[in-house]
Amino acid sequence: MLDDFLIRAALAGVGVALAAAPLGCFVVWRRMAYFGEATAHAAILGVALSLALSLPLVPAVLGAALAMALAVSALSGRGYAMDTLLGVAAHTALAAGLVAVALLADRGAARLDLMAFLFGDILAVNRADLAVIWGGAAVVAGLTAWRWPSLLMSTLNPDLARASGFDPRREELGLTLALAIVVAVAIKVVGVLLIAAMLVIPPAAARPLVRTPEAMAIGAALLGAVSALAGLWVSFLLDTPTGPSIVCVAAGLFLFTTAAGGLRGRV
């Protein structure tokens, strides 16, 4: 069954959706959308590190994404607004990564398609990639489920979390680690430029339809999986880029659920 490239692509898309969507709920609740984008852009630096040191791609991307997330967390509150700091970090990481990858490729380090890293190449996913994607999804899902009460309380009310014996700073570091894992496993599916969209859009689409945080996480996972499968189908029918097609379907679902939630509120 896995010899069919469309089956592999569908499994990869669903795996990324299941990893990204529940974690994306915390990104939405904490207003960390730009934080996720900065972490994703650092993945290109991980690609350059992989080429320069002949390292496996996923560990190099994971290390770069985690380093970026930790650096931004450490520099926050040092005199700059968070959105300014994230803007500088995100665009600097992307530009430096693209320059480094181009220089390394020109020097014969490797031949690669930058577009595949920027927008994903889900149709080229192989069995090893599937193992990495679903393994990463399992780690993120397990970490999110294990720390759900403390993550939720730290997000909603840090002072109450401290009073209950939870350390909001530690929970933020756990969230940062999970975010870096999602970036590492999603880079081949939707690419660096679209990872943040898969983190934010499915949870935002689920929000008007649910009443509890747990329902929002489940709804986001379902909508993310539907977006992946429907985007793959649209891409196959119309011969369009698959990663952007997935994000466009997710955006369409967001518009639909927002309109449906508005109509329900008027009834």
Side-chain angles (χ1 to χ4, degrees), residues 7-238:
I7 297 296
R8 293 197 300 270
L11 290 174
V14 171
V16 168
L18 295 180
L23 181 64
C25 291
F26 289 100
V27 173
V28 171
W29 293 331
R30 289 172 174 254
R31 296 176 173 84
M32 291 173 59
Y34 215 4
F35 184 89
E37 188 172 347
T39 305
H41 285 183
I44 290 294
L45 285 174
V47 174
L49 182 65
S50 173
L51 291 175
L53 302 180
S54 299
L55 296 174
L57 179 63
V58 171
V61 170
L62 176 61
L66 185 60
M68 170 61 77
L70 293 176
V72 170
S73 296
L75 291 174
S76 61
R78 298 292 181 88
Y80 292 99
M82 178 58 79
D83 60 342
T84 301
L85 184 61
L86 289 173
V88 172
H91 297 106
T92 300
L94 180 61
L98 290 173
V99 170
V101 168
L103 288 175
L104 288 168
D106 288 343
R107 293 175 183 176
R111 293 182 61 85
L112 77 163
D113 181 9
L114 277 177
M115 295 296 288
F117 290 106
L118 293 177
F119 298 104
D121 191 10
I122 190 174
L123 298 180
V125 167
N126 55 37
R127 292 174 183 240
D129 295 326
L130 280 179
V132 170
I133 289 169
W134 279 90
V139 170
V140 171
L143 180 62
T144 304
W146 174 44
R147 305 302 300 175
W148 181 267
S150 54
L151 275 171
L152 188 59
M153 189 175 295
S154 298
T155 297
L156 300 178
N157 193 324
D159 292 332
L160 182 59
R162 293 188 188 92
S164 301
F166 299 124
D167 183 356
R169 184 66 175 175
R170 184 182 62 190
E171 303 305 326
E172 182 178 338
L173 290 176
L175 190 62
T176 298
L177 173 61
L179 187 60
I181 294 173
V182 168
V183 168
V185 302
I187 186 172
K188 194 161 188 177
V189 175
V190 290
V192 168
L193 298 182
L194 301 176
I195 291 173
M198 290 304 293
L199 281 168
V200 173
I201 297 178
R207 195 171 194 171
L209 305 178
V210 299
R211 296 183 181 276
T212 66
E214 292 78 11
M216 182 171 165
I218 294 171
L222 292 175
L223 290 174
V226 169
S227 299
L229 296 175
L232 181 62
W233 178 67
V234 169
S235 173
F236 181 75
L237 287 181
L238 303 180

